[in-house]
Amino acid sequence: IYIGKVKKIVKNINSAFVEYQNGKTGYYSLVDNTRHLYTQTGDHDRLKEGDEIIVQLAKEAVKTKDPVLSSVLNFTGKYTVLTHGKPLLGFSQKLQAADEWKQKIKDLAEPLIDNGTGIIIRANAGNAEIAQIIEEAEQLKQECETVLNGASYRTVYSRLYQAQAGYLKQIKEYNMQQLEAVITDQKDIY
């Protein structure tokens, strides 16, 4: 997650190009990102060149295409994903759980959904205690608030947050019920 600066708005493709690191620019859809996270205060009726906004690298660069940036911020845990900019409570389609269990989760997670923050319950949550799931969601919400509150004190191109390494993310996303072991011959990964 970075503080980026809008370099160019291209109206015919309804998008903007945002420099998120010095010399690195990303594609920012104005259709997918209708709520912009400005670092400066004041009223903004629409995005304009020179604006500083908080963006997350949503998709890495591919060949000649710029990376895709988003104003929907995701904070991923083992059991939940906190989404700032998408205020909803959802369940993974892979999650096999009774309606009664889901309703308990909804009742406890509902108070966490405010200020544009949502929660997705991941497939791995099926084997966890409800208290663990809610505790993780609360921790992710605190982490998000810390990142957003700190943004007003940072300068453009600052990295506000960095997700875990890709291999850790893959392990987290894997259905833990089917995982027996992780084997590596790379010391740094071990």
Side-chain angles (χ1 to χ4, degrees), residues 17-157:
F17 290 91
V18 177
E19 189 174 15
Y20 62 96
Q21 282 186 313
N22 202 0
K24 291 185 179 180
T25 304
Y27 171 83
Y28 182 82
S29 169
L30 297 175
V31 174
D32 298 337
N33 298 293
T34 55
R35 183 176 170 209
H36 315 295
L37 297 170
Y38 295 95
T39 59
Q40 63 269 46
T41 58
D43 291 332
H44 296 277
D45 51 355
R46 64 188 172 103
L47 199 64
K48 59 187 179 308
E49 289 180 17
D51 280 348
E52 293 180 13
I53 58 174
I54 301 169
V55 292
Q56 184 169 26
L57 202 58
K59 197 183 291 182
E60 295 288 335
V62 177
K63 295 185 182 177
T64 59
K65 291 190 175 193
D66 283 341
V68 176
L69 304 175
S70 176
S71 60
V72 176
L73 309 181
N74 292 314
F75 295 83
T76 304
K78 184 175 183 178
Y79 308 118
T80 61
V81 176
L82 184 118
T83 58
H84 184 80
K86 218 179 216 180
L88 57 85
L89 176 62
F91 292 87
S92 166
Q93 292 179 344
K94 297 176 188 174
L95 180 63
Q96 303 295 319
D99 289 340
E100 182 181 306
W101 183 86
K102 286 183 177 180
Q103 189 58 51
K104 283 182 185 175
I105 295 284
K106 283 182 183 180
D107 292 344
L108 292 169
E110 203 65 45
L112 298 174
I113 299 171
D114 63 359
N115 288 335
T117 300
I119 299 169
I120 299 167
I121 308 299
R122 305 183 66 188
N124 284 334
N127 291 335
E129 296 291 325
I130 291 175
Q132 287 178 298
I133 298 165
I134 299 304
E135 183 180 334
E136 180 184 83
E138 289 170 343
Q139 288 171 350
L140 292 174
K141 184 167 183 169
Q142 182 62 47
E143 194 172 349
C144 175
E145 289 172 358
T146 299
V147 167
L148 293 175
N149 290 338
S152 60
Y153 302 104
R154 304 289 295 274
T155 60
V156 70
Y157 312 133

Side-chain angles (χ1 to χ4, degrees), residues 5-10 15-19 25 48-50:
K5 183 178 254 184
V6 178
K7 287 296 181 183
K8 186 176 185 181
I9 294 180
V10 186
S15 64
F17 290 91
V18 177
E19 189 174 15
T25 304
K48 59 187 179 308
E49 289 180 17

